Amino acid sequence: KKEDRKSPCPFKIGGEAAALEEKLPFALTGAQKKVLGEVYADLSGGRVMNRLIQGDVGSGKTIIAVLALLQAAYNGFQGALMVPTEVLARQHFESMNELFTGLSLPVKPILLTGSMTAKEKRLAREEIESGKAQIVIGTHALIQENVIYRNLGLVVTDEQHRFGVKQREMLAEKGRMPHVLVMSATPIPRTLAIIIYGDLDISVVDEMPAHRLPIKNCVVDESYRPNAYRFMKKEVEAGHQVYIICPMVEENEELELENVTDYTEKLKGILPEFQISCLHGKMKPKEKNEIMEKFSLKPQPADNFRYYSGEGA
């Protein structure tokens, strides 16, 4: 049963919210505007928000969370965004910095992850405790005991199923009943979502932005692989990138499934002219970050990168 508690973190959503929306370098979809309106109504309604935003990958859930986090900063509170991987945390941090700088917003986001140096983590914790850090982006590092928030008013967790209710609660307990926003791309029927997320109100972003290209899927057997390799070679030579997902990280005698470790070596033999990297969840954060940073740099036809991504990356 959803709790209906009076909020110690009342937000005022003024005209600057609409002005900020107009400044964005892209137009929000009707679905995004509808869900953003529901979030704003929760934040300014005098009660603690507990809301789930559900929508496919690419539907634009993140910008709704960013706008909510900005409202926390504008109202004198801190906002925290917790994501399941360091790669994703860094991507969100860099995207927010780019957006805030482009819009000349006087809001300071900071990053806090487990792989940062002891000095970097200490400086980040000092800014969080002093309140200088208005928006904090990170992984499980955000809920460690030595991370003290000055005035946490909004908690956002991305991909709730990777955390669990307890971790969401641990982050919320860093403040005095902060508002809670959960984002999930997992397609769950509404009736089942009500059972699983019984403590949350549910919003659905059911419209894709106009500039998003449709994703094409097809299922083929192993005999099609030579055609697939030719297609990938053509795309990489055109300056594009390719990633392949395997169901296993390493060989498993009980399951006859492709594993990322062996298949990477196989691909290096099939396409020796391209740079191919292996990425999976068992690697050290620094290694994963280095590969993802290289992959995020759009290659030119003369400098092709091919990356191979395994389960859990």
Side-chain angles (χ1 to χ4, degrees):
K1 189 182 188 304
K2 291 185 290 290
E3 296 184 36
D4 189 20
R5 301 172 294 177
K6 186 174 180 179
S7 174
C9 307
F11 285 29
K12 289 184 179 179
I13 310 294
E16 80 280 352
L20 179 60
E21 188 179 320
E22 290 298 319
K23 286 183 183 179
L24 292 175
F26 47 84
L28 298 181
T29 65
Q32 285 174 310
K33 290 180 178 180
K34 176 178 176 291
V35 172
L36 185 60
E38 293 170 347
V39 171
Y40 282 169
D42 283 352
L43 293 173
S44 60
R47 299 289 173 181
V48 177
M49 175 176 72
N50 283 285
R51 183 167 292 277
L52 166 70
I53 298 180
Q54 197 176 8
D56 289 339
V57 172
S59 62
K61 301 182 295 297
T62 303
I63 189 59
I64 297 171
V66 171
L67 292 172
L69 289 165
L70 280 170
Q71 289 304 315
Y74 290 161
N75 279 272
F77 298 104
Q78 290 173 301
L81 169 61
M82 185 167 71
V83 298
T85 68
E86 296 202 5
V87 168
L88 191 55
R90 191 168 293 277
Q91 287 175 342
H92 280 315
F93 172 69
E94 291 172 354
S95 296
M96 276 194 220
N97 258 330
E98 184 179 345
L99 178 65
F100 296 172
T101 301
L103 298 178
S104 300
L105 301 179
V107 177
K108 180 180 176 62
I110 70 160
L111 180 70
L112 180 60
T113 65
S115 68
M116 290 167 60
T117 65
K119 182 180 179 181
E120 288 173 332
K121 285 189 273 194
R122 177 175 56 79
L123 292 174
R125 290 196 302 268
E126 287 174 359
E127 293 200 351
I128 294 170
E129 188 168 2
S130 70
K132 187 176 179 182
Q134 297 163 289
I135 296 176
V136 188
I137 303 126
T139 54
H140 297 82
L142 299 186
I143 59 177
Q144 291 179 347
E145 191 175 339
N146 59 358
V147 180
I148 301 169
Y149 296 80
R150 180 177 177 82
N151 195 12
L152 185 60
L154 173 63
V155 166
V156 181
T157 56
D158 189 6
E159 294 299 342
Q160 167 67 11
H161 64 285
R162 292 285 295 273
F163 289 117
V165 176
K166 184 61 180 174
Q167 287 159 318
R168 186 222 307 169
E169 289 176 349
M170 286 173 68
L171 181 55
E173 286 167 3
K174 292 284 186 178
R176 281 179 55 238
M177 289 195 297
H179 298 287
V180 175
L181 190 62
V182 177
M183 297 188 294
S184 178
T186 306
I188 307 172
R190 190 172 185 87
T191 50
L192 182 57
I194 291 171
I195 296 171
I196 296 174
Y197 301 107
D199 59 327
L200 303 175
D201 293 303
I202 300 173
S203 293
V204 181
V205 184
D206 54 5
E207 178 184 358
M208 297 294 279
H211 65 277
R212 291 282 180 179
L213 295 175
I215 298 172
K216 296 179 180 179
N217 296 298
C218 61
V219 178
V220 295
D221 59 26
E222 288 190 24
S223 65
Y224 189 81
R225 286 189 182 180
N227 291 332
Y229 298 146
R230 283 192 290 272
F231 175 76
M232 288 189 287
K233 181 177 180 180
K234 179 182 176 183
E235 290 298 312
V236 175
E237 288 174 343
H240 300 152
Q241 292 165 294
V242 177
Y243 71 87
I244 302 170
I245 300 174
C246 271
M248 305 290 292
V249 172
E250 298 170 333
E251 184 178 7
N252 186 316
E253 294 180 358
E254 296 179 6
L255 299 171
E256 294 184 7
L257 299 172
E258 289 286 8
N259 71 84
V260 63
T261 307
D262 292 341
Y263 201 59
T264 299
E265 296 307 312
K266 184 190 297 186
L267 273 181
K268 287 179 179 179
I270 296 170
L271 301 170
E273 65 269 46
F274 301 129
Q275 188 169 353
I276 300 173
S277 293
C278 175
L279 178 67
H280 57 74
K282 292 183 179 181
M283 295 168 65
K284 292 180 180 179
K286 184 180 179 181
E287 291 179 289
K288 291 193 286 186
N289 286 334
E290 287 176 354
I291 291 174
M292 288 303 295
E293 283 170 9
K294 288 180 181 178
F295 191 56
S296 69
L297 299 173
K298 184 173 176 57
Q300 300 302 315
D303 184 23
N304 293 305
F305 286 86
R306 288 282 328 287
Y307 291 86
Y308 188 78
S309 177
E311 181 272 332

